[in-house]
Amino acid sequence: MFDKRGRLSLFRVAVLGAVIGAVLIGFGIVALNNDQNSRRSPLLVEPYPGSEQWGELVQETATNVRFFLRARNIAPEQVAAYYQTRLSDFANGERCVRTPADGSLPTNPDQPNSIPYRFDCMFDRSSRSATQYTRVSIFPEMPGMDPYTDETNNTIITYQQVWQP
């Protein structure tokens, strides 16, 4: 840092500053690369305890999958409360949204996918240049949804996972 006369050497200070700057830029590039790579897989959200897979996993694209779970003899409100707790831990201030907010929509008994209401919870880790989220939808099982049984006291949970390639 000092020259032979004991004075501060601007050249040595500049070289030291350049080395420190290069190291910091290198660490920044490595950190950015690690952050981008962490978004190249589905965002995992712990499923409702005791729920079971219902149906097949649907791979819509290479980076977009959808699957269903069923929680037997549990009200959708209880399942939504579980995911609300998970969402509060994940992203402070975010809430699961009920559609419609109050009451229920009329259902069509001739349409097996007609539901009176649902809860949507969005777990989002996307950034400016990377996509990674899991959308969880929760709704009551309606008559005719399952061709093998006619149960109606269950809750259906849909996971849609999207991430960057």
Side-chain angles (χ1 to χ4, degrees), residues 7 36 41 71 95-96 111 113 123 125 141 158-159 164:
R7 293 182 297 184
Q36 294 294 315
S41 62
R95 300 207 33 86
C96 293
Q111 178 139 9
N113 294 330
F123 296 83
R125 254 191 93 228
E141 184 174 355
T158 305
Y159 274 61
Q164 77 176 32

Side-chain angles (χ1 to χ4, degrees), residues 35-36 39 43 90 122-134 162-164:
D35 182 62
Q36 294 294 315
R39 288 171 169 69
L43 176 61
F90 179 79
M122 182 70 141
F123 296 83
D124 193 356
R125 254 191 93 228
S126 298
S127 67
R128 195 172 100 164
S129 61
T131 301
Q132 186 187 41
Y133 67 84
T134 296
V162 177
W163 63 97
Q164 77 176 32

